[in-house]
Amino acid sequence: MKINLVSAQNCTAANPPREPCIIVGHSPDELRFWKEKGFCVLAELDELQSFVGTEREMAERITALTDRGFEGLDNVCIHAGLLTEREKLLMWQHHRGEPGTIGESGRILVRESTADDAAAIREIYQDAESGRFLEPLLPESVLKDAAEADEEAYAEYLKMYRKYQYPFYGYGIWSVVEKEDGRTVGWAGLTWESHDGCEGLYLGYALLSGYWGRGLTREACLLILEFVREQGLADRVYVRVQRENLRSVRLAEALRNQSPVELKIQICAS
């Protein structure tokens, strides 16, 4: 789906823009008008386009401008014209309350997780095969040993994760969905970690064992690595695998040969 950027100056109540679009403007008042009409809006802080300073000083200036009237709007940027198609799509999907799409192929969709994925995520961690090499996602203190109660705990975790992780960091762990039946079959994504003197983004992945052997995990990871390249998140990504997990070691080696960014493999003891 292509999301068009439309200048607020070219929009009138008698001639509203055609969806799907993001209305871009410089005035809080004009943007708030369109937001109340149900449109996705983007404040372009053009006075910062020639700003020279540190990232902290830039953040302080953005905060100051936001506090002067842009609060409550969907998105703020400095150069709307530099937004990637993926960034525009994410803005549009978040505006509609939908999970953002990270990547898509003919077979799978990698998207932000929601509470509806709780049953699948729980199954991954509790399955004897797919959960064998995974660190627990939830502490034992919140699990009740009852499927319904455990699923509620996972759902609550995913709600909080979606609320605080994706908007703040722009990356995280995402759900892998098989497009043919719409089922969530795994997760894959990025975390910021430090191991053996190497600090940066680490790639992680897990798939329900019933879907192993079809290349879906490799497909999902390549979509994520392309997202890293496209969004300029990092020039290098790490993947840390346990020596005994031969399937994961082979996957990491295959990914290294196909990754659009440098992929460094760390082999560790179990």
Side-chain angles (χ1 to χ4, degrees):
M1 177 187 297
K2 183 175 177 59
I3 310 299
N4 295 315
L5 295 180
V6 180
S7 172
Q9 294 181 340
N10 298 330
C11 303
T12 65
N15 185 32
R18 181 176 298 176
E19 297 277 31
C21 72
I22 299 173
I23 298 180
V24 183
H26 311 288
S27 163
D29 292 334
E30 66 179 356
L31 288 176
R32 193 160 285 107
F33 170 83
W34 290 108
K35 181 172 175 59
E36 291 172 354
K37 295 289 185 182
F39 286 88
C40 180
V41 300
L42 171 65
E44 186 175 46
L45 306 180
D46 55 341
E47 64 185 87
L48 293 182
Q49 291 180 0
S50 58
F51 176 83
V52 177
T54 66
E55 290 187 6
R56 180 175 180 178
E57 290 170 337
M58 173 69 82
E60 290 173 348
R61 291 288 297 276
I62 292 175
T63 299
L65 287 169
T66 302
D67 289 343
R68 293 210 303 265
F70 288 102
E71 72 279 355
L73 300 180
D74 291 299
N75 309 280
V76 175
C77 77
I78 297 173
H79 294 278
L82 297 181
L83 292 173
T84 66
E85 292 301 318
R86 182 71 57 196
E87 287 170 325
K88 289 186 284 186
L89 177 60
L90 286 170
M91 286 184 185
W92 165 257
Q93 291 175 319
H94 291 162
H95 164 72
R96 292 173 58 88
E98 301 171 356
T101 300
I102 303 307
E104 184 174 1
S105 69
R107 297 193 297 172
I108 62 169
L109 179 74
V110 179
R111 60 154 173 79
E112 294 171 350
S113 298
T114 73
D116 291 337
D117 298 316
I121 301 301
R122 171 185 176 274
E123 186 177 352
I124 290 170
Y125 279 88
Q126 297 190 356
D127 178 81
E129 292 296 326
S130 60
R132 179 183 173 192
F133 294 101
L134 296 178
E135 294 285 340
L137 182 66
L138 300 177
E140 291 185 8
S141 59
V142 304
L143 299 177
K144 313 295 184 183
D145 293 327
E148 296 79 7
D150 280 0
E151 191 172 323
E152 288 179 8
Y154 277 94
E156 187 60 30
Y157 173 87
L158 292 174
K159 285 179 185 177
M160 293 299 101
Y161 193 88
R162 183 182 180 191
K163 181 177 181 180
Y164 295 108
Q165 175 72 24
Y166 303 132
F168 188 77
Y169 294 100
Y171 63 84
I173 299 297
W174 298 294
S175 293
V176 178
V177 179
E178 189 176 42
K179 293 169 68 174
E180 184 176 0
D181 60 10
R183 185 184 182 193
T184 298
V185 297
W187 64 252
L190 305 163
T191 54
W192 187 271
E193 300 177 22
S194 178
H195 299 284
D196 303 328
C198 298
E199 184 176 63
L201 289 175
Y202 277 75
L203 176 69
Y205 42 79
L207 200 74
L208 287 169
S209 58
Y211 290 83
W212 288 0
R214 296 169 53 187
L216 298 180
T217 308
R218 180 185 60 81
E219 212 165 296
C221 289
L222 287 175
L223 288 172
I224 289 169
L225 291 167
E226 176 60 27
F227 178 80
V228 171
R229 185 202 65 78
E230 180 188 83
Q231 300 301 113
L233 295 178
D235 296 322
R236 174 186 297 165
V237 174
Y238 299 92
V239 59
R240 187 174 176 84
V241 294
Q242 296 181 33
R243 185 174 290 107
E244 294 179 4
N245 191 351
L246 298 180
R247 180 184 294 271
S248 187
V249 171
R250 289 194 296 268
L251 173 59
E253 291 172 346
L255 289 171
R256 180 173 57 189
N257 296 330
Q258 297 178 282
S259 176
V261 297
E262 183 182 5
L263 187 66
K264 299 286 287 186
I265 301 174
Q266 295 178 345
I267 305 295
C268 62
S270 58

